[in-house]
Tab-separated table of all heavy atoms in Angstrom:
chain	number	residue	atom	x	y	z
K	1	MET	N	-4.523	-6.185	32.414
K	1	MET	CA	-5.322	-6.500	31.246
K	1	MET	C	-4.734	-5.759	30.020
K	1	MET	O	-4.872	-6.300	28.866
K	1	MET	CB	-6.727	-6.115	31.373
K	1	MET	CG	-7.679	-6.442	30.282
K	1	MET	SD	-9.425	-5.921	30.470
K	1	MET	CE	-9.752	-6.818	31.978
K	2	ASP	N	-4.349	-4.527	30.146
K	2	ASP	CA	-3.780	-3.846	29.065
K	2	ASP	C	-2.517	-4.498	28.516
K	2	ASP	O	-2.299	-4.394	27.246
K	2	ASP	CB	-3.434	-2.347	29.431
K	2	ASP	CG	-4.778	-1.563	29.909
K	2	ASP	OD1	-5.762	-1.972	29.359
K	2	ASP	OD2	-4.683	-0.549	30.569
K	3	THR	N	-1.806	-5.099	29.374
K	3	THR	CA	-0.469	-5.756	28.815
K	3	THR	C	-0.908	-6.956	28.015
K	3	THR	O	-0.319	-7.192	26.959
K	3	THR	CB	0.249	-6.357	30.030
K	3	THR	OG1	0.495	-5.155	30.911
K	3	THR	CG2	1.501	-6.869	29.611
K	4	PHE	N	-1.979	-7.710	28.304
K	4	PHE	CA	-2.470	-8.733	27.624
K	4	PHE	C	-2.809	-8.317	26.155
K	4	PHE	O	-2.469	-9.028	25.229
K	4	PHE	CB	-3.617	-9.506	28.285
K	4	PHE	CG	-4.314	-10.480	27.429
K	4	PHE	CD1	-3.754	-11.826	27.085
K	4	PHE	CD2	-5.518	-10.235	26.813
K	4	PHE	CE1	-4.407	-12.747	26.225
K	4	PHE	CE2	-6.209	-11.123	26.074
K	4	PHE	CZ	-5.595	-12.345	25.709
K	5	PHE	N	-3.649	-7.271	26.247
K	5	PHE	CA	-4.056	-6.845	24.851
K	5	PHE	C	-2.892	-6.169	23.962
K	5	PHE	O	-2.930	-6.312	22.852
K	5	PHE	CB	-5.224	-5.893	25.025
K	5	PHE	CG	-6.547	-6.485	25.192
K	5	PHE	CD1	-7.116	-6.385	26.565
K	5	PHE	CD2	-7.247	-7.189	24.279
K	5	PHE	CE1	-8.316	-6.997	26.788
K	5	PHE	CE2	-8.487	-7.776	24.461
K	5	PHE	CZ	-9.004	-7.721	25.726
K	6	GLY	N	-2.004	-5.627	24.746
K	6	GLY	CA	-0.835	-5.141	24.011
K	6	GLY	C	0.007	-6.351	23.405
K	6	GLY	O	0.475	-6.243	22.226
K	7	ILE	N	0.177	-7.410	24.077
K	7	ILE	CA	0.854	-8.542	23.629
K	7	ILE	C	0.021	-9.202	22.388
K	7	ILE	O	0.633	-9.696	21.392
K	7	ILE	CB	1.115	-9.591	24.734
K	7	ILE	CG1	2.181	-8.966	25.647
K	7	ILE	CG2	1.578	-10.878	24.102
K	7	ILE	CD1	2.258	-9.745	26.886
K	8	LEU	N	-1.236	-9.295	22.608
K	8	LEU	CA	-2.102	-9.842	21.510
K	8	LEU	C	-2.061	-8.876	20.231
K	8	LEU	O	-1.954	-9.461	19.127
K	8	LEU	CB	-3.480	-9.780	22.031
K	8	LEU	CG	-4.534	-10.504	21.089
K	8	LEU	CD1	-4.091	-12.001	20.907
K	8	LEU	CD2	-5.896	-10.445	21.669
K	9	ALA	N	-1.921	-7.561	20.404
K	9	ALA	CA	-1.841	-6.797	19.166
K	9	ALA	C	-0.432	-6.932	18.524
K	9	ALA	O	-0.363	-6.941	17.286
K	9	ALA	CB	-1.875	-5.179	19.617
K	10	ALA	N	0.535	-7.241	19.307
K	10	ALA	CA	1.945	-7.482	18.686
K	10	ALA	C	2.010	-8.879	17.977
K	10	ALA	O	2.512	-8.899	16.924
K	10	ALA	CB	3.100	-7.433	19.843
K	11	VAL	N	1.255	-9.881	18.547
K	11	VAL	CA	1.224	-11.146	17.941
K	11	VAL	C	0.504	-11.009	16.520
K	11	VAL	O	0.813	-11.606	15.524
K	11	VAL	CB	0.502	-12.142	18.839
K	11	VAL	CG1	0.110	-13.514	18.071
K	11	VAL	CG2	1.376	-12.492	19.919
K	12	VAL	N	-0.669	-10.241	16.597
K	12	VAL	CA	-1.452	-10.087	15.352
K	12	VAL	C	-0.495	-9.327	14.343
K	12	VAL	O	-0.531	-9.684	13.143
K	12	VAL	CB	-2.701	-9.182	15.598
K	12	VAL	CG1	-3.282	-8.699	14.346
K	12	VAL	CG2	-3.727	-10.002	16.337
K	13	ALA	N	0.262	-8.388	14.753
K	13	ALA	CA	1.096	-7.613	13.794
K	13	ALA	C	2.185	-8.484	13.137
K	13	ALA	O	2.456	-8.430	12.004
K	13	ALA	CB	1.692	-6.437	14.499
K	14	LEU	N	2.792	-9.352	14.063
K	14	LEU	CA	3.767	-10.218	13.591
K	14	LEU	C	3.291	-11.335	12.673
K	14	LEU	O	3.959	-11.868	11.833
K	14	LEU	CB	4.532	-10.876	14.813
K	14	LEU	CG	5.497	-9.894	15.501
K	14	LEU	CD1	5.953	-10.633	16.724
K	14	LEU	CD2	6.613	-9.398	14.642
K	15	ALA	N	2.074	-11.752	12.961
K	15	ALA	CA	1.426	-12.883	12.105
K	15	ALA	C	0.781	-12.329	10.836
K	15	ALA	O	0.399	-13.241	10.094
K	15	ALA	CB	0.422	-13.646	12.947
K	16	SER	N	0.666	-11.198	10.604
K	16	SER	CA	-0.061	-10.654	9.480
K	16	SER	C	0.630	-10.901	8.179
K	16	SER	O	-0.073	-11.407	7.162
K	16	SER	CB	-0.285	-9.175	9.579
K	16	SER	OG	0.952	-8.571	9.453
K	17	LEU	N	1.945	-10.836	8.005
K	17	LEU	CA	2.523	-11.190	6.734
K	17	LEU	C	2.574	-12.625	6.470
K	17	LEU	O	2.323	-13.012	5.347
K	17	LEU	CB	3.973	-10.458	6.767
K	17	LEU	CG	3.887	-9.020	6.422
K	17	LEU	CD1	5.352	-8.432	6.309
K	17	LEU	CD2	3.298	-8.717	5.007
K	18	PRO	N	2.940	-13.500	7.420
K	18	PRO	CA	2.990	-14.868	7.104
K	18	PRO	C	1.550	-15.412	6.675
K	18	PRO	O	1.515	-16.228	5.707
K	18	PRO	CB	3.373	-15.559	8.368
K	18	PRO	CG	4.289	-14.626	9.109
K	18	PRO	CD	3.563	-13.153	8.683
K	19	CYS	N	0.501	-14.895	7.343
K	19	CYS	CA	-0.802	-15.355	7.041
K	19	CYS	C	-1.119	-14.700	5.498
K	19	CYS	O	-1.823	-15.355	4.775
K	19	CYS	CB	-1.765	-14.734	7.933
K	19	CYS	SG	-1.740	-15.535	9.537
K	20	GLY	N	-0.745	-13.545	5.275
K	20	GLY	CA	-0.934	-12.885	3.991
K	20	GLY	C	-0.260	-13.809	2.836
K	20	GLY	O	-0.742	-13.996	1.702
K	21	TYR	N	0.968	-14.306	3.203
K	21	TYR	CA	1.692	-15.049	2.170
K	21	TYR	C	0.996	-16.364	1.975
K	21	TYR	O	0.813	-16.892	0.908
K	21	TYR	CB	3.072	-15.368	2.755
K	21	TYR	CG	3.888	-16.498	1.815
K	21	TYR	CD1	4.347	-15.965	0.599
K	21	TYR	CD2	4.079	-17.736	2.319
K	21	TYR	CE1	5.008	-16.847	-0.191
K	21	TYR	CE2	4.705	-18.513	1.429
K	21	TYR	CZ	5.134	-18.109	0.140
K	21	TYR	OH	5.853	-19.101	-0.631
K	22	LEU	N	0.421	-17.103	3.063
K	22	LEU	CA	-0.230	-18.240	2.841
K	22	LEU	C	-1.660	-18.068	2.069
K	22	LEU	O	-1.891	-18.896	1.122
K	22	LEU	CB	-0.678	-18.866	4.127
K	22	LEU	CG	0.457	-19.338	5.007
K	22	LEU	CD1	-0.023	-19.807	6.418
K	22	LEU	CD2	1.186	-20.496	4.322
K	23	LEU	N	-2.232	-16.919	2.075
K	23	LEU	CA	-3.397	-16.672	1.310
K	23	LEU	C	-2.926	-16.409	-0.104
K	23	LEU	O	-3.632	-16.848	-1.111
K	23	LEU	CB	-4.130	-15.492	1.892
K	23	LEU	CG	-4.933	-15.777	3.116
K	23	LEU	CD1	-5.552	-14.380	3.588
K	23	LEU	CD2	-6.148	-16.621	2.757
K	24	ALA	N	-1.910	-15.645	-0.409
K	24	ALA	CA	-1.426	-15.261	-1.613
K	24	ALA	C	-0.923	-16.472	-2.294
K	24	ALA	O	-1.006	-16.698	-3.575
K	24	ALA	CB	-0.350	-14.196	-1.536
K	25	ARG	N	-0.346	-17.466	-1.693
K	25	ARG	CA	0.154	-18.621	-2.375
K	25	ARG	C	-0.908	-19.381	-2.839
K	25	ARG	O	-0.795	-20.227	-3.847
K	25	ARG	CB	1.012	-19.479	-1.211
K	25	ARG	CG	1.861	-20.587	-1.896
K	25	ARG	CD	2.676	-21.190	-0.850
K	25	ARG	NE	1.761	-22.024	0.019
K	25	ARG	CZ	2.290	-22.709	1.010
K	25	ARG	NH1	3.497	-22.880	1.263
K	25	ARG	NH2	1.488	-23.426	1.761
K	26	ARG	N	-2.036	-19.398	-2.200
K	26	ARG	CA	-3.190	-20.224	-2.620
K	26	ARG	C	-3.826	-19.545	-3.854
K	26	ARG	O	-4.633	-20.215	-4.602
K	26	ARG	CB	-4.319	-20.356	-1.581
K	26	ARG	CG	-3.762	-20.901	-0.202
K	26	ARG	CD	-3.883	-22.394	-0.142
K	26	ARG	NE	-5.311	-22.816	-0.506
K	26	ARG	CZ	-5.586	-24.070	-0.523
K	26	ARG	NH1	-4.710	-25.002	-0.112
K	26	ARG	NH2	-6.793	-24.486	-0.782
K	27	CYS	N	-3.663	-18.276	-4.033
K	27	CYS	CA	-4.355	-17.519	-5.089
K	27	CYS	C	-3.648	-17.475	-6.434
K	27	CYS	O	-4.265	-17.666	-7.547
K	27	CYS	CB	-4.827	-16.048	-4.672
K	27	CYS	SG	-5.971	-16.126	-3.330
K	28	VAL	N	-2.463	-17.206	-6.477
K	28	VAL	CA	-1.621	-17.065	-7.635
K	28	VAL	C	-0.244	-17.866	-7.697
K	28	VAL	O	0.185	-18.163	-6.552
K	28	VAL	CB	-1.249	-15.493	-7.904
K	28	VAL	CG1	-2.539	-14.675	-8.217
K	28	VAL	CG2	-0.565	-15.012	-6.741
K	29	THR	N	0.172	-18.058	-8.870
K	29	THR	CA	1.376	-18.789	-9.027
K	29	THR	C	2.509	-17.854	-9.525
K	29	THR	O	3.729	-18.312	-9.287
K	29	THR	CB	1.267	-19.967	-9.956
K	29	THR	OG1	0.893	-19.495	-11.259
K	29	THR	CG2	0.316	-20.984	-9.468
K	30	ASN	N	2.163	-16.733	-9.995
K	30	ASN	CA	3.250	-15.808	-10.474
K	30	ASN	C	3.908	-15.180	-9.319
K	30	ASN	O	3.297	-14.585	-8.364
K	30	ASN	CB	2.436	-14.549	-11.315
K	30	ASN	CG	3.405	-13.637	-11.857
K	30	ASN	OD1	4.561	-13.721	-11.678
K	30	ASN	ND2	2.742	-12.673	-12.420
K	31	PRO	N	5.201	-15.252	-9.265
K	31	PRO	CA	5.901	-14.646	-8.045
K	31	PRO	C	5.697	-13.198	-7.820
K	31	PRO	O	5.609	-12.723	-6.663
K	31	PRO	CB	7.398	-14.847	-8.352
K	31	PRO	CG	7.385	-16.034	-9.444
K	31	PRO	CD	6.193	-15.803	-10.133
K	32	GLY	N	5.647	-12.360	-8.933
K	32	GLY	CA	5.323	-10.874	-8.760
K	32	GLY	C	3.993	-10.680	-8.068
K	32	GLY	O	3.832	-9.912	-7.254
K	33	GLY	N	3.021	-11.344	-8.645
K	33	GLY	CA	1.614	-11.297	-8.057
K	33	GLY	C	1.525	-11.779	-6.628
K	33	GLY	O	0.773	-11.225	-5.818
K	34	ARG	N	2.371	-12.857	-6.363
K	34	ARG	CA	2.289	-13.385	-5.007
K	34	ARG	C	2.925	-12.386	-4.057
K	34	ARG	O	2.470	-12.262	-2.893
K	34	ARG	CB	3.252	-14.684	-5.078
K	34	ARG	CG	3.050	-15.361	-3.717
K	34	ARG	CD	3.855	-16.813	-3.694
K	34	ARG	NE	3.122	-17.672	-4.695
K	34	ARG	CZ	3.610	-18.812	-4.870
K	34	ARG	NH1	4.711	-19.220	-4.544
K	34	ARG	NH2	2.967	-19.508	-5.709
K	35	ILE	N	3.951	-11.620	-4.496
K	35	ILE	CA	4.511	-10.718	-3.516
K	35	ILE	C	3.511	-9.514	-3.217
K	35	ILE	O	3.396	-9.005	-2.177
K	35	ILE	CB	5.861	-10.087	-4.121
K	35	ILE	CG1	6.969	-11.217	-4.078
K	35	ILE	CG2	6.342	-8.832	-3.308
K	35	ILE	CD1	8.164	-10.849	-4.750
K	36	LEU	N	2.907	-9.019	-4.382
K	36	LEU	CA	2.021	-8.018	-4.186
K	36	LEU	C	0.736	-8.430	-3.335
K	36	LEU	O	0.301	-7.651	-2.460
K	36	LEU	CB	1.483	-7.516	-5.621
K	36	LEU	CG	0.524	-6.321	-5.737
K	36	LEU	CD1	1.227	-5.050	-5.215
K	36	LEU	CD2	-0.048	-6.188	-7.151
K	37	LEU	N	0.257	-9.618	-3.621
K	37	LEU	CA	-0.934	-10.057	-2.802
K	37	LEU	C	-0.508	-10.286	-1.395
K	37	LEU	O	-1.248	-10.171	-0.435
K	37	LEU	CB	-1.518	-11.356	-3.415
K	37	LEU	CG	-2.445	-11.150	-4.468
K	37	LEU	CD1	-3.112	-12.386	-5.043
K	37	LEU	CD2	-3.579	-10.203	-4.123
K	38	THR	N	0.801	-10.729	-1.117
K	38	THR	CA	1.204	-10.974	0.194
K	38	THR	C	1.160	-9.617	1.030
K	38	THR	O	0.688	-9.670	2.161
K	38	THR	CB	2.612	-11.559	0.296
K	38	THR	OG1	2.614	-12.728	-0.289
K	38	THR	CG2	3.173	-11.619	1.760
K	39	LEU	N	1.679	-8.564	0.378
K	39	LEU	CA	1.605	-7.278	0.994
K	39	LEU	C	0.196	-6.747	1.225
K	39	LEU	O	-0.122	-6.180	2.254
K	39	LEU	CB	2.438	-6.291	0.200
K	39	LEU	CG	3.904	-6.590	0.119
K	39	LEU	CD1	4.585	-5.646	-0.761
K	39	LEU	CD2	4.550	-6.515	1.565
K	40	LEU	N	-0.649	-7.046	0.215
K	40	LEU	CA	-1.998	-6.552	0.300
K	40	LEU	C	-2.786	-7.323	1.385
K	40	LEU	O	-3.390	-6.610	2.261
K	40	LEU	CB	-2.725	-6.603	-1.113
K	40	LEU	CG	-4.269	-6.137	-0.989
K	40	LEU	CD1	-4.314	-4.671	-0.826
K	40	LEU	CD2	-4.862	-6.633	-2.367
K	41	PHE	N	-2.746	-8.597	1.345
K	41	PHE	CA	-3.382	-9.387	2.405
K	41	PHE	C	-2.904	-9.093	3.758
K	41	PHE	O	-3.498	-9.095	4.874
K	41	PHE	CB	-3.251	-10.896	2.060
K	41	PHE	CG	-4.210	-11.387	0.930
K	41	PHE	CD1	-3.827	-12.429	0.114
K	41	PHE	CD2	-5.403	-10.642	0.703
K	41	PHE	CE1	-4.536	-12.776	-0.824
K	41	PHE	CE2	-6.150	-11.055	-0.326
K	41	PHE	CZ	-5.760	-12.068	-1.149
K	42	GLY	N	-1.436	-9.049	3.939
K	42	GLY	CA	-0.811	-8.811	5.185
K	42	GLY	C	-1.346	-7.436	5.746
K	42	GLY	O	-1.573	-7.289	6.945
K	43	LEU	N	-1.431	-6.384	4.899
K	43	LEU	CA	-1.944	-5.106	5.359
K	43	LEU	C	-3.371	-5.049	5.815
K	43	LEU	O	-3.752	-4.529	6.948
K	43	LEU	CB	-1.740	-4.079	4.286
K	43	LEU	CG	-2.058	-2.638	4.578
K	43	LEU	CD1	-1.204	-1.993	5.711
K	43	LEU	CD2	-2.064	-1.773	3.463
K	44	ILE	N	-4.210	-5.835	5.121
K	44	ILE	CA	-5.560	-5.958	5.446
K	44	ILE	C	-5.727	-6.693	6.769
K	44	ILE	O	-6.408	-6.319	7.600
K	44	ILE	CB	-6.442	-6.635	4.332
K	44	ILE	CG1	-6.528	-5.778	3.113
K	44	ILE	CG2	-7.747	-7.118	4.829
K	44	ILE	CD1	-7.093	-6.454	1.967
K	45	ILE	N	-5.003	-7.752	6.934
K	45	ILE	CA	-5.016	-8.610	8.145
K	45	ILE	C	-4.556	-7.848	9.308
K	45	ILE	O	-5.050	-7.789	10.414
K	45	ILE	CB	-4.311	-9.882	8.064
K	45	ILE	CG1	-4.990	-10.921	7.068
K	45	ILE	CG2	-4.057	-10.720	9.370
K	45	ILE	CD1	-4.183	-12.046	6.661
K	46	LEU	N	-3.433	-7.013	9.201
K	46	LEU	CA	-2.968	-6.246	10.267
K	46	LEU	C	-3.938	-5.102	10.530
K	46	LEU	O	-4.134	-4.964	11.866
K	46	LEU	CB	-1.624	-5.469	9.669
K	46	LEU	CG	-0.988	-4.488	10.659
K	46	LEU	CD1	-0.387	-5.192	11.769
K	46	LEU	CD2	0.014	-3.659	9.827
K	47	VAL	N	-4.582	-4.419	9.781
K	47	VAL	CA	-5.534	-3.418	10.133
K	47	VAL	C	-6.678	-3.928	10.764
K	47	VAL	O	-7.067	-3.450	11.938
K	47	VAL	CB	-5.906	-2.554	8.856
K	47	VAL	CG1	-6.961	-1.647	9.147
K	47	VAL	CG2	-4.686	-1.829	8.384
K	48	VAL	N	-7.321	-5.023	10.234
K	48	VAL	CA	-8.466	-5.636	10.823
K	48	VAL	C	-8.114	-6.146	12.221
K	48	VAL	O	-8.916	-6.036	13.131
K	48	VAL	CB	-9.061	-6.706	9.888
K	48	VAL	CG1	-10.215	-7.465	10.614
K	48	VAL	CG2	-9.648	-5.928	8.645
K	49	GLY	N	-6.963	-6.872	12.342
K	49	GLY	CA	-6.611	-7.463	13.612
K	49	GLY	C	-6.272	-6.523	14.649
K	49	GLY	O	-6.734	-6.690	15.796
K	50	VAL	N	-5.580	-5.430	14.327
K	50	VAL	CA	-5.397	-4.487	15.437
K	50	VAL	C	-6.487	-3.764	15.924
K	50	VAL	O	-6.710	-3.378	16.992
K	50	VAL	CB	-4.070	-3.505	14.855
K	50	VAL	CG1	-3.895	-2.407	15.920
K	50	VAL	CG2	-2.820	-4.298	14.776
K	51	VAL	N	-7.392	-3.293	14.880
K	51	VAL	CA	-8.567	-2.579	15.247
K	51	VAL	C	-9.489	-3.576	16.150
K	51	VAL	O	-10.156	-2.992	17.105
K	51	VAL	CB	-9.304	-2.170	13.984
K	51	VAL	CG1	-10.780	-1.743	14.264
K	51	VAL	CG2	-8.576	-1.053	13.361
K	52	SER	N	-9.591	-4.800	15.923
K	52	SER	CA	-10.357	-5.742	16.753
K	52	SER	C	-9.823	-5.874	18.077
K	52	SER	O	-10.484	-5.954	19.091
K	52	SER	CB	-10.641	-7.056	15.986
K	52	SER	OG	-9.443	-7.705	15.718
K	53	VAL	N	-8.437	-5.959	18.138
K	53	VAL	CA	-7.881	-6.000	19.438
K	53	VAL	C	-8.147	-4.747	20.263
K	53	VAL	O	-8.459	-4.784	21.498
K	53	VAL	CB	-6.351	-6.316	19.395
K	53	VAL	CG1	-5.669	-6.063	20.684
K	53	VAL	CG2	-6.048	-7.594	18.768
K	54	ILE	N	-7.999	-3.604	19.634
K	54	ILE	CA	-8.196	-2.334	20.416
K	54	ILE	C	-9.696	-2.260	20.871
K	54	ILE	O	-9.923	-1.836	22.016
K	54	ILE	CB	-7.797	-1.199	19.542
K	54	ILE	CG1	-6.356	-1.135	19.343
K	54	ILE	CG2	-8.279	0.182	20.111
K	54	ILE	CD1	-5.810	-0.135	18.391
K	55	SER	N	-10.569	-2.684	19.894
K	55	SER	CA	-12.011	-2.616	20.365
K	55	SER	C	-12.374	-3.552	21.407
K	55	SER	O	-13.101	-3.311	22.266
K	55	SER	CB	-12.907	-2.701	19.112
K	55	SER	OG	-12.816	-4.055	18.536
K	56	GLY	N	-11.658	-4.733	21.468
K	56	GLY	CA	-11.846	-5.732	22.454
K	56	GLY	C	-11.345	-5.180	23.785
K	56	GLY	O	-11.978	-5.418	24.864
K	57	CYS	N	-10.242	-4.547	23.741
K	57	CYS	CA	-9.743	-3.942	24.970
K	57	CYS	C	-10.594	-2.894	25.519
K	57	CYS	O	-10.849	-2.873	26.775
K	57	CYS	CB	-8.283	-3.423	24.681
K	57	CYS	SG	-7.442	-2.658	26.084
K	58	SER	N	-11.168	-2.108	24.584
K	58	SER	CA	-12.117	-1.012	25.069
K	58	SER	C	-13.314	-1.568	25.599
K	58	SER	O	-13.891	-1.200	26.635
K	58	SER	CB	-12.405	-0.083	23.886
K	58	SER	OG	-11.266	0.539	23.548
K	59	ALA	N	-13.838	-2.683	25.056
K	59	ALA	CA	-15.099	-3.284	25.571
K	59	ALA	C	-14.829	-3.998	26.870
K	59	ALA	O	-15.751	-4.062	27.702
K	59	ALA	CB	-15.519	-4.371	24.477
K	60	MET	N	-13.608	-4.363	27.204
K	60	MET	CA	-13.368	-4.934	28.474
K	60	MET	C	-12.994	-3.943	29.654
K	60	MET	O	-12.699	-4.303	30.699
K	60	MET	CB	-12.092	-5.856	28.461
K	60	MET	CG	-12.345	-7.114	27.551
K	60	MET	SD	-13.501	-8.342	28.224
K	60	MET	CE	-12.666	-8.895	29.508
K	61	GLY	N	-13.114	-2.727	29.174
K	61	GLY	CA	-12.870	-1.588	30.041
K	61	GLY	C	-11.385	-1.086	30.136
K	61	GLY	O	-11.189	-0.261	31.028
K	62	GLY	N	-10.609	-1.636	29.355
K	62	GLY	CA	-9.212	-1.196	29.252
K	62	GLY	C	-9.049	-0.063	28.472
K	62	GLY	O	-10.020	0.483	27.831
K	63	ARG	N	-7.823	0.381	28.336
K	63	ARG	CA	-7.527	1.683	27.463
K	63	ARG	C	-6.157	1.459	26.877
K	63	ARG	O	-5.219	1.164	27.564
K	63	ARG	CB	-7.545	2.832	28.307
K	63	ARG	CG	-7.462	4.133	27.580
K	63	ARG	CD	-7.448	5.348	28.448
K	63	ARG	NE	-6.247	5.227	29.214
K	63	ARG	CZ	-6.025	5.932	30.348
K	63	ARG	NH1	-6.974	6.778	30.930
K	63	ARG	NH2	-4.834	5.877	31.030
K	64	MET	N	-6.139	1.454	25.611
K	64	MET	CA	-4.845	1.366	24.859
K	64	MET	C	-4.409	2.618	24.393
K	64	MET	O	-5.057	3.308	23.489
K	64	MET	CB	-4.876	0.267	23.673
K	64	MET	CG	-5.177	-1.043	24.150
K	64	MET	SD	-5.099	-2.275	22.874
K	64	MET	CE	-3.290	-2.443	22.645
K	65	ASP	N	-3.363	3.144	24.874
K	65	ASP	CA	-2.821	4.477	24.470
K	65	ASP	C	-1.522	4.354	23.634
K	65	ASP	O	-0.634	3.568	24.046
K	65	ASP	CB	-2.488	5.291	25.598
K	65	ASP	CG	-3.703	5.733	26.337
K	65	ASP	OD1	-4.787	6.025	25.819
K	65	ASP	OD2	-3.549	6.036	27.641
K	66	PHE	N	-1.459	4.840	22.383
K	66	PHE	CA	-0.312	4.766	21.634
K	66	PHE	C	0.439	6.139	21.677
K	66	PHE	O	-0.035	7.102	21.126
K	66	PHE	CB	-0.688	4.505	20.085
K	66	PHE	CG	-1.275	3.089	19.969
K	66	PHE	CD1	-2.683	2.970	19.818
K	66	PHE	CD2	-0.570	2.091	20.009
K	66	PHE	CE1	-3.228	1.757	19.658
K	66	PHE	CE2	-1.031	0.720	19.861
K	66	PHE	CZ	-2.379	0.508	19.761
K	67	LYS	N	1.427	6.113	22.580
K	67	LYS	CA	2.209	7.266	22.720
K	67	LYS	C	3.608	7.223	22.182
K	67	LYS	O	4.171	6.237	22.239
K	67	LYS	CB	2.296	7.690	24.236
K	67	LYS	CG	0.772	8.062	24.718
K	67	LYS	CD	0.943	8.371	26.322
K	67	LYS	CE	-0.445	8.738	26.748
K	67	LYS	NZ	-0.467	9.067	28.147
């Protein structure tokens, strides 16, 4: 089970910047603002996604150790 949640956390981490770019593309047309919003949205998606994966793993009785 811990392997599943580890893979899920990696998928969330890899998908955070493309999802942030898609959100930024919808919000602004300025390339500089788009880059800034991509990084901002990507960071927010990354943090929220990884925290939710870790809490889901803990709720299922697993333990994710970052060593």
Side-chain angles (χ1 to χ4, degrees):
M1 180 181 304
D2 293 337
T3 305
F4 169 73
F5 283 106
I7 292 171
L8 189 60
V11 169
V12 167
L14 290 174
S16 64
L17 280 179
C19 291
Y21 174 73
L22 290 176
L23 285 172
R25 193 175 71 178
R26 305 269 309 179
C27 293
V28 288
T29 57
N30 181 5
R34 188 177 290 174
I35 291 171
L36 184 65
L37 277 181
T38 297
L39 295 175
L40 179 68
F41 287 151
L43 183 66
I44 291 170
I45 293 169
L46 175 69
V47 169
V48 170
V50 170
V51 166
S52 61
V53 168
I54 291 172
S55 65
C57 180
S58 297
M60 296 293 291
R63 189 180 64 194
M64 291 187 79
D65 294 330
F66 294 103
K67 294 181 182 178

